[in-house]
Amino acid sequence: MTEIGVGLIGYGLAGRAFHAPFVKVTPGLELRAVVSRDSAKVHAGLPDMTVCPDVPALLARDDIGLVIVASPDDLHAEHALGALAAGKHVLVDKPFATSLADARRIAAAGAAAGRLVAIFQNRRWDADFLTLRRLVADGRLGDVVQFESHFDRWRPQPAAVWKEARTGGAWLDLGPHLVDQALQLFGLPIAVSADIATLREGAPSADYFHVTLKYPDRRAILHSSKLVADHGLRFAVHGTRGSWIKHGFDPQEAAALQGQVPGSTGWGIDPSPGRFTGADGVRAEVAGVPGDYRRFWNALAAALRGEGPNPVPPSEAIAVMRVLDAALRSADAGRDVLVAE
């Protein structure tokens, strides 16, 4: 198998935990260079890696076919468009961009260049979400009428990092994950109602959101706060045949941060099974489907070889951006916003 050379822009949390380790274990991909201002940090995890001083130096390399954009959010469009202009395929970390207009520009540039543009929505392959998809597909829940997706944390003191001050705050940080999962289950909503706020003293951007996606026959509630001491609730899903409640988070992020090799023993096994309560009141634990972010990477490598579909194409990411944008406008206006507006 001919290996596809990969260049990584950025070696923060995303580059270090979610990209470099997975490229390393994906057949057909080879990480060949990283753009970073801190070569010592890169070499601490990747001792022999070439570190480029800037993005143009990376894009000038003929041995790079795929560029991963894991830079700060407000640079996503600039770096993705630059990589496409240089003839590279592109993988953009979430959010796709900081505006719907920029997301559409990137998608159009990829189509014009004949290059693959994929968006990193790894949480489609979370253990809990895969389990929920199975429950929905099997009909065990019946028709879902209320879907709650929580991503709460206990971080009462804002940290002095760019992510705390990012454009859109927590909504453009965690919102892309929660919106993408909801759209995978239910498609685009008709309207969005959003409350996005800054609740922590001294926080430089929004650290709280409560967003309702409105469908004709259901409501999908997406919630996050950084002032939740009891932050274990992940999903509460209610249907005409029963409810499924899930506490605890998919273990892959923690494992990656601890330096575990993706796919090692126990990888993706969720230690906290969800609980199903049927319409008859009987409760039972639900065995979880193992999570595995490698499925995204293997699908991406296959797509680059022309052997399969893009695992997360721009059209799906633009749908996410439409909801993100509608929510921001809803929060500003204090009213429901139609997604088609």
Side-chain angles (χ1 to χ4, degrees):
M1 181 185 299
T2 301
E3 290 186 326
I4 299 165
V6 178
L8 172 61
I9 301 176
Y11 199 69
L13 172 63
R16 177 170 53 89
F18 292 115
H19 297 300
F22 287 89
V23 172
K24 186 175 181 180
V25 301
T26 302
L29 298 182
E30 182 181 60
L31 185 60
R32 294 177 177 166
V34 175
V35 176
S36 175
R37 291 175 295 182
D38 189 345
S39 59
K41 182 172 68 172
V42 176
H43 289 145
L46 305 168
D48 300 320
M49 184 56 54
T50 297
V51 179
C52 293
D54 52 38
V55 173
L58 177 75
L59 299 183
R61 293 177 59 117
D62 293 333
D63 62 339
I64 300 296
L66 170 68
V67 171
I68 301 173
V69 178
S71 48
D73 301 353
D74 57 358
L75 294 174
H76 282 191
E78 175 187 335
H79 290 161
L81 292 169
L84 290 168
K88 315 298 185 182
H89 301 290
V90 174
L91 169 62
V92 185
D93 206 330
K94 62 80 194 169
F96 189 12
T98 55
S99 72
L100 180 57
D102 277 347
R104 287 173 167 156
R105 287 175 59 212
I106 298 169
R115 292 294 182 265
L116 181 143
V117 176
I119 296 77
F120 190 60
Q121 288 289 0
N122 59 308
R123 291 194 178 276
R124 293 185 186 184
W125 291 271
D126 275 357
D128 45 25
F129 184 65
L130 291 174
T131 301
L132 175 57
R133 292 194 78 159
R134 185 185 65 185
L135 290 171
V136 171
D138 289 350
R140 189 170 179 183
L141 288 163
D143 295 326
V144 174
V145 296
Q146 182 174 322
F147 168 84
E148 294 185 30
S149 179
H150 289 248
F151 216 119
D152 297 316
R153 291 170 170 162
W154 176 244
R155 295 180 180 173
Q157 299 300 322
V161 295
W162 72 265
K163 289 187 176 183
E164 290 280 2
R166 72 201 310 161
T167 301
W171 179 236
L172 285 191
D173 178 17
L174 300 174
H177 288 312
L178 305 191
V179 171
D180 183 69
Q181 290 182 338
L183 298 195
Q184 287 295 296
L185 291 172
F186 310 121
L188 276 170
I190 295 172
V192 175
S193 175
D195 179 11
I196 301 172
T198 304
L199 301 184
R200 296 175 301 169
E201 183 177 356
S205 65
D207 53 17
Y208 167 94
F209 62 79
H210 189 89
V211 177
T212 301
L213 311 187
K214 296 186 174 182
Y215 299 84
D217 53 357
R218 69 175 53 91
R219 296 293 184 264
I221 299 164
L222 314 179
H223 181 91
S224 178
S225 173
K226 295 184 179 179
L227 283 173
V228 181
D230 184 354
H231 54 271
L233 179 62
R234 180 65 184 90
F235 289 110
V237 186
H238 309 289
T240 54
R241 293 183 178 176
S243 297
W244 182 68
I245 309 298
K246 176 67 175 67
H247 289 79
F249 289 84
D250 177 276
Q252 293 177 87
E253 177 176 349
L257 289 172
Q258 293 168 5
Q260 295 183 29
V261 177
S264 56
T265 301
W267 184 269
I269 302 299
D270 193 333
S272 304
R275 185 189 70 205
F276 176 80
T277 301
D280 56 4
V282 176
R283 297 181 177 180
E285 287 190 349
V286 176
V289 177
D292 196 347
Y293 297 158
R294 293 176 301 165
R295 290 171 55 183
F296 168 84
W297 290 97
N298 289 332
L300 176 64
L304 290 168
R305 296 192 300 268
E307 299 173 359
N310 185 338
V312 186
S315 59
E316 295 179 0
I318 287 174
V320 171
M321 290 297 304
R322 288 175 63 189
V323 174
L324 294 172
D325 177 74
L328 290 172
R329 290 185 286 120
S330 171
D332 285 342
R335 62 173 178 87
D336 289 4
V337 168
L338 297 176
V339 174
E341 286 184 6

